[in-house]
Amino acid sequence: LRAATGDALVVDSAFRGHAIQCQVFGKWAWREGRGFCPTAVASALPGHSQHQLGTALDAFSARWLREGYRFREGFGCTPAGRWLAEQAWTFGFVVPYPLHPDHRAPGSDCLARPDARDRIDPRTGYKHEPWHLRYLGRAHAARFHAAWAASGPGTAAEITLEQWIRRE
């Protein structure tokens, strides 16, 4: 990543056991005052997290982490965020929670409209997370990427990983 974007990629969170996922969910829901429902679209319930399965990680650029709160709007538009969206599949990873086409800011493929920043994607049940990567292995990631590219990225026909898995 450093050669492509000039910045290092940092794995911020990978495997989380049940107890840690309980703590993560609890922190978002109660300690930060969000409540159950808003948290349930931003963090998986314990027992339902891809992190807990050991198949996911959150990755950011070192620069992004130095500049503020990691889970903020705009990471997908950074050089590192764009690189992950375009190249992670070549290493066996995919972004399972894309930005829903109807939620995009006009003229952008990486920013949500201000009124859509907290909206969930009905296809996935979660908000857009350009930092969240799911490991499929190189062969499956390549198959998904080909199907995604053929589906019409940025249109209503764009498929998500969940849709592809169910189809397969």
Side-chain angles (χ1 to χ4, degrees), residues 5-43:
T5 67
D7 201 358
L9 187 65
V10 177
V11 174
D12 183 69
S13 178
F15 174 76
R16 295 183 203 141
H18 184 78
I20 297 298
Q21 189 62 27
C22 285
Q23 290 173 0
V24 168
F25 192 88
K27 175 182 176 276
W28 284 74
W30 291 283
R31 281 181 255 154
E32 292 192 13
R34 291 181 177 207
F36 180 85
C37 289
T39 299
V41 300
S43 179

Side-chain angles (χ1 to χ4, degrees), residues 76-77 82 85-86 98-100 104-112 128 154 158:
C77 295
R82 288 196 176 280
E86 295 165 6
L99 181 58
H100 191 285
R104 293 178 181 180
S108 179
D109 63 350
C110 56
L111 283 177
H128 174 50
E158 175 187 68

